[in-house]
Amino acid sequence: MDYKPKAVAGLLAATCVFSIIALILSVVDVKVVFLPPSIKYGLVFDAGSTHTALYIYRWPADKENGTGIVSQVEACTVSGPGISSYADNATGAGASLKPCLDKAMEIIPVEQQRETPTYLGATAGMRLLREQNSTKAEQVFAEVSKAIAEYPVDFRGAQVLTGNEEGSFGWITVNYLLETLVKFSFAEKWEHPRDTEVLGALDLGGASTQITFQPGVPIEDKNTSVFFRLYGTNYSLYTHSYLCYGQTQALKMLLAALHQGSLPAQQISHPCYPKGYRENITTADLYDSPCVHAPGTASRAQTLTVTGTGDPAACSAAIQRLFNFSCGANTTCGFNGVYQPPVRGQFFAFAGFYHTFHFLNLTSQQSLNHVNSTVQTFCKKNWSELVETFPQKTEYLHKYCSMAIYSLTLLLDGYKFNEHTWSSIHFSQQAANTDIGWTLGFMLNLTNMIPTEALEPIKGNQPSLWAGAISFIVLAIVAGLVAIFLQCFWKTK
Ligand SMILES: *[C@@H]1O[C@H](CO)[C@@H](O)[C@H](O)[C@H]1NC(C)=O
Ligand SMILES: *[C@@H]1O[C@H](CO)[C@@H](O)[C@H](O)[C@H]1NC(C)=O
Ligand SMILES: *[C@@H]1O[C@H](CO)[C@@H](O)[C@H](O)[C@H]1NC(C)=O
Ligand SMILES: *[C@@H]1O[C@H](CO)[C@@H](O)[C@H](O)[C@H]1NC(C)=O
Ligand SMILES: *[C@@H]1O[C@H](CO)[C@@H](O)[C@H](O)[C@H]1NC(C)=O
C-alpha cells in the first residue's frame, strides 16, 4: 500500500505552501499594502435661521494639511425649524438634533467616535435672538450643548459666528474645494497655482447675506477687511454680512412695508405673489423679528389677508424700497451706506441664490437678459397654473417670484454686478461632491488643517518610487515561489 508516502508527500507540499505564505507576509508589510490609510472624521452643525443641518466630513489622517482632501460623507437635515425658533422651548432644540447625531454614530466607526471633533455654529437667526433676548439665546445654547454632550464625540462647543467669520469661512470652503489655494503639482510638490485667481463667495441665508472677495485695491473700511495667511500666501479680503437681508427676513420686511402702505385696511395686495394666491397671517407672526417694526396702531392679534397680484414691475419697485442705495460719504458702496469696492473676479453664489435659480433652471450661465425674461414670465403665472405645473413644490411655490426678484435686486443693485460681470457668477450648490457653505471652512480653521506656511514636499512617499519598490518585491517573490514549488514537487516524487 502506498497511501503513507502519499500522505507524507501531501504534508510536505502543504508545509511548503504555508512557509511560502509566511515568507511573503514577512517580506511585505501587509498593513501598508492592503489596508486603506486611516480615516478621520469631523462633525459640524450648521444652525441656520430656518433649519439646522449636520455635516459629516472625512479625510485621510496622514494627509490632513493638503487641499481637496476633506470630503463630505453626509449632510443630515434636522427636521423642524432653526434652533432660534425654540426660544420658548429650549429643550426642544436639543432633542431636535438627536436623529442626525444617531445617524452620524452609525457612519463613524465606534473606535473613532471619541476623537471626532464636533462643533455647532449658529448664524444670523441666533444673532437676532441674542439681540431680542440674550437669556433665551443662552438657554438654547445650553440645551443644544447638553444634547450633543450625551454622544461619545469630542464636542468642542457651540458658538455664534460673526458675520465676518461666516463670510470668510464660506470663501475658504469655495477656494479649498476648487484647489485655488494650493495644489499638488506634477512635480510632486505643493505649490500655489499660478494663473489661478481665487474666487469670491456670495451666500444668501434666511436671515443674512454675505459677500466676500479679493478686491485688488486697498480696503478703505477696516470693519470690512479680513486678512489670512494660508499655505504661505497672504490674502487680503473684503467681506460684509448684511443682517436682515437674508431671504426670509427680507421678504418679511417686504410684507411689513406693504402692510404699512395699506393701513388701516387689513387687506394687503402683494405684487410678488401670484395672481389668485391668498393667505391669512397674523400681525404677531409678521412682527416677530427685530428686522421689522410694528406700527404703533396695529394690535398684536390682527389677522391680515394677503392677496397676490402677480405684477413683477411693482414687485421689483417694492423690493428696491427695502434698500438705501445712497453711498453717503463712501466713494463706492454696497447698500445702506456700507463700503464695498467694485466686484472683481469669478464668484460662486450658493445657498439661497442657488436654490431659487435652480428651481427656475437658471444655473447654467444664462445671459442676464434671458434670466430677466424667465423671471418676468414666471412672475406673471397664475396660482392655479403654478399648482398644476409644480404639484410637489407647493410649500415655497408662491415665494419663488419674490425670491428671484429679491436675489436679482441684491446682486445687481446691491452688490453692483452688471450685464458684463453677471457672467462671472456661478450658481452652485456643491464642488467636489461637497456642499458649499461656511461649515467646511470653519472646521478646517478650528482643527488647524490649513497651515499658514507653504507645505513641504511629501517626504519618503513618492508614488513612483514606492510603486517601483512594490513591483520589485512582488516579482522577486513570484520567482522565489516558482523555484521553491518546483523543488518541493521534485522532492515529493
Ligand atoms: C500639518 O501641519 C502642522 C503645522 O504646520 C504640523 O504640525 C502637522 O504635523 C502637519 N500634519 C501632517 C499630517 O502633515
Ligand atoms: C427674556 O426671557 C426671559 C425668560 O426666558 C424672561 O424672563 C425675560 O423677561 C426676557 N427678557 C426680555 C427683555 O424680554
Ligand atoms: C441713506 O443712506 C445715506 C448714506 O448712508 C444716509 O445719509 C441717508 O440718510 C439714508 N436715507 C434713508 C432714507 O435712510
Ligand atoms: C425646469 O426644467 C424642467 C426640466 O426641463 C422642467 O420640468 C421645469 O418645468 C422647469 N422649471 C421651470 C420653473 O421652468
Ligand atoms: C483661523 O484660526 C486662527 C487661529 O488658529 C485665527 O487666527 C484665524 O483668524 C482664523 N481664521 C478665520 C478666517 O477666522
Side-chain angles (χ1 to χ4, degrees):
M1 291 313 238
D2 60 358
Y3 70 91
K4 261 182 189 168
K6 264 193 182 167
V8 170
L11 210 71
L12 249 160
T15 312
C16 279
V17 169
F18 280 117
S19 52
I20 289 162
I21 292 174
L23 184 73
I24 295 173
L25 293 187
S26 65
V27 169
V28 181
D29 185 349
V30 183
K31 271 189 203 148
V32 170
V33 177
F34 298 107
L35 291 183
S38 81
I39 298 292
K40 284 193 183 178
Y41 293 84
L43 299 176
V44 185
F45 277 103
D46 172 357
S49 63
T50 57
H51 76 281
T52 301
L54 173 60
Y55 290 92
I56 305 174
Y57 297 110
R58 54 177 268 164
W59 62 92
D62 58 332
K63 292 189 188 143
E64 59 185 20
N65 287 337
T67 59
I69 295 298
V70 178
S71 61
Q72 177 177 315
V73 186
E74 180 84 39
C76 176
T77 302
V78 170
S79 61
I83 59 169
S84 54
S85 305
Y86 291 94
D88 297 316
N89 165 28
T91 51
S96 74
L97 307 184
K98 294 192 175 178
C100 280
L101 281 162
D102 291 334
K103 189 166 193 179
M105 295 304 102
E106 284 167 22
I107 291 171
I108 303 171
V110 173
E111 63 275 15
Q112 270 170 298
Q113 292 172 355
R114 286 198 186 278
E115 59 191 54
T116 297
T118 301
Y119 304 92
L120 183 141
T123 50
M126 288 299 283
R127 271 175 232 143
L128 290 173
L129 178 60
R130 204 171 48 181
E131 211 172 279
Q132 272 180 314
N133 186 327
S134 60
T135 316
K136 287 185 180 177
E138 276 159 30
Q139 284 167 352
V140 169
F141 270 121
E143 289 299 330
V144 295
S145 301
K146 207 168 94 189
I148 299 170
E150 285 170 19
Y151 286 77
V153 293
D154 177 11
F155 179 47
R156 301 192 185 172
Q159 65 183 88
V160 181
L161 274 72
T162 65
N164 276 7
E165 286 172 330
E166 195 179 354
S168 303
F169 292 137
W171 183 92
I172 289 178
T173 301
V174 167
N175 289 287
Y176 178 88
L177 292 175
L178 296 176
E179 298 191 277
T180 47
L181 303 173
V182 72
K183 212 177 174 67
F184 196 66
S185 75
F186 292 113
E188 296 192 340
K189 58 179 189 181
W190 293 99
E191 53 184 42
H192 180 65
R194 257 172 269 158
D195 305 325
T196 312
E197 291 276 353
V198 289
L199 285 91
L202 300 165
D203 185 359
L204 179 57
S208 69
T209 178
Q210 288 74 237
I211 176 169
T212 309
F213 63 100
Q214 194 174 39
V217 294
I219 295 164
E220 287 166 24
D221 175 359
K222 70 170 172 33
N223 292 323
T224 62
S225 154
V226 287
F227 178 84
F228 324 117
R229 185 170 172 81
L230 310 172
Y231 303 108
T233 304
N234 291 336
Y235 297 95
S236 175
L237 303 181
Y238 169 83
T239 188
H240 187 72
S241 174
Y242 291 90
L243 194 59
C244 295
Y245 285 82
Q247 53 189 4
T248 310
Q249 293 299 321
L251 296 189
K252 197 181 262 291
M253 292 196 286
L254 173 64
L255 197 50
L258 294 169
H259 173 226
Q260 285 165 35
S262 60
L263 283 172
Q266 291 175 26
Q267 318 291 322
I268 303 174
S269 290
H270 202 312
C272 311
Y273 285 174
K275 205 178 276 172
Y277 180 82
R278 204 182 163 88
E279 71 175 14
N280 287 334
I281 54 158
T282 64
T283 43
D285 285 340
L286 177 54
Y287 294 106
D288 66 352
S289 137
C291 298
V292 287
H293 304 287
T297 54
S299 97
R300 294 295 290 162
Q302 263 178 350
T303 299
L304 309 169
T305 302
V306 188
T307 312
T309 60
D311 181 347
C315 170
S316 185
I319 285 175
Q320 298 254 343
R321 287 194 291 271
L322 303 176
F323 298 83
N324 177 350
F325 295 120
S326 156
C327 280
N330 289 312
T331 47
T332 57
C333 73
F335 55 91
N336 295 358
V338 174
Y339 164 78
Q340 183 202 301
V343 290
R344 174 174 168 271
Q346 303 293 307
F347 283 81
F348 261 36
F350 46 95
F353 289 122
Y354 173 83
H355 294 303
T356 301
F357 281 78
H358 174 70
F359 173 77
L360 294 169
N361 295 330
L362 293 173
T363 55
S364 342
Q365 300 285 110
Q366 288 97 335
S367 72
L368 186 54
N369 273 339
H370 177 87
V371 169
N372 273 325
S373 68
T374 304
V375 171
Q376 295 280 320
T377 309
F378 180 82
C379 287
K380 286 180 185 157
K381 289 197 159 101
N382 289 331
W383 179 236
S384 53
E385 197 183 334
L386 285 180
V387 172
E388 206 173 299
T389 323
F390 306 98
Q392 293 89 19
K393 298 241 166 146
T394 40
E395 192 190 342
Y396 299 107
L397 197 52
H398 67 287
K399 289 192 174 169
Y400 280 112
C401 167
S402 350
M403 295 195 295
I405 294 188
Y406 178 69
S407 298
L408 282 170
T409 309
L410 180 59
L411 291 171
L412 298 170
D413 304 303
Y415 295 152
K416 312 283 188 289
F417 284 90
N418 58 33
E419 64 271 31
H420 306 297
T421 50
W422 177 258
S423 61
S424 65
I425 307 175
H426 307 268
F427 293 92
S428 309
Q429 182 178 34
Q430 287 204 323
N433 293 320
T434 296
D435 288 358
I436 300 169
W438 56 265
T439 52
L440 176 58
F442 178 75
M443 185 189 74
L444 292 171
N445 186 266
L446 293 183
T447 54
N448 290 317
M449 259 197 277
I450 300 190
T452 50
E453 294 314 316
L455 294 172
E456 294 288 309
I458 299 171
K459 282 194 201 92
N461 194 17
Q462 279 130 325
S464 53
L465 252 179
W466 183 230
I470 291 283
S471 340
F472 178 77
I473 291 170
V474 168
L475 271 177
I477 287 167
V478 169
L481 202 138
V482 171
I484 293 171
F485 186 76
L486 282 176
Q487 201 179 9
C488 289
F489 187 73
W490 180 80
K491 267 191 187 164
T492 58
K493 275 229 151 170

